[in-house]
Amino acid sequence: MRRPAADEAGGPSAPLVAGVGARRGVPVSEVLELITAACAAAGHASSQVVALATVTAKATEPGLTGAARALGVPLRSYPAEALAAVRGPEPSAAADAAVGTPSVAEAAALLAAGPGAALVAGKRKSPPPARATCALAGPAVTDSGALTAGREGAAAVPRTGAVIVMTSPNPPRRGPDRRTGVVGDPAPESATTGTKETQ
């Protein structure tokens, strides 16, 4: 698998997760500027960010919750043990000592982006005094161009401590009339409905 190129995942529908690490007291503006800069450097728009993700110990940090609110996306958090199990390219001894995992931004982005996700942009620090870090992850792309992960997140890891939950204006249908498509399934039989006048 390979990482999505800017022209493949560069459209407004390509979902990205911003993994964020932060020191106590980081301002919302610093987090937002960092996310915007990380997206721009990777050739993406910040409007493609569908979630922020961090370690549980930082889930209530006002700078992170405020940034999620400003972007209108959920803030997902993961226990340090779950993040420590994800191999990141830039482990940090300081992060390990502070929150119990050598990777916060990259590991959180990968977990929240879901199975098969790939880093779109590695860890980036905000300008000095650098109170925040950010990494971007999105669906990986196979050699045939298919996306291997989507905006639903990591099914195998519990999403603990979500601070903001955005409700969809189009909730999924429930009940017996709900149909879940499966690759290779025959198409549902068409049925005509309505009266003779409306057909």
Side-chain angles (χ1 to χ4, degrees):
M1 276 182 271
R2 56 194 170 85
R3 285 170 26 177
D7 61 340
E8 292 171 324
S13 63
L16 294 176
V17 174
V20 287
R23 290 186 181 172
R24 183 178 297 154
V26 64
V28 172
S29 59
E30 184 173 336
V31 176
L32 290 173
E33 287 167 12
L34 177 59
I35 292 170
T36 300
C39 288
H44 296 279
S46 58
S47 61
Q48 291 174 245
V49 174
V50 296
L52 302 188
T54 194
V55 64
T56 301
K58 298 294 181 178
T60 58
E61 182 63 43
L64 299 187
T65 59
R69 253 186 227 101
L71 292 170
V73 299
L75 172 62
R76 298 182 180 141
S77 63
Y78 298 92
E81 301 79 33
L83 297 181
V86 178
R87 293 184 61 186
E90 292 185 56
S92 164
D96 199 8
V99 293
T101 175
S103 175
V104 174
E106 292 169 329
L110 287 167
L111 278 181
L119 283 175
V120 172
K123 183 171 66 177
R124 179 187 187 100
K125 294 181 181 180
S126 56
R131 291 168 289 189
T133 58
C134 174
L136 302 173
V141 180
T142 65
D143 291 334
S144 65
L147 298 179
T148 62
R151 60 195 310 153
E152 297 305 318
V157 178
R159 289 189 193 137
T160 58
V163 176
I164 302 171
V165 178
M166 305 295 290
T167 55
S168 170
N170 301 310
R173 292 170 44 186
R174 303 189 188 284
D177 64 334
R178 180 181 178 195
R179 176 171 165 75
T180 302
V182 177
V183 175
D185 248 4
E189 294 184 25
S190 61
T192 53
T193 58
T195 63
K196 200 170 197 178
E197 290 79 19
T198 60
Q199 291 180 358

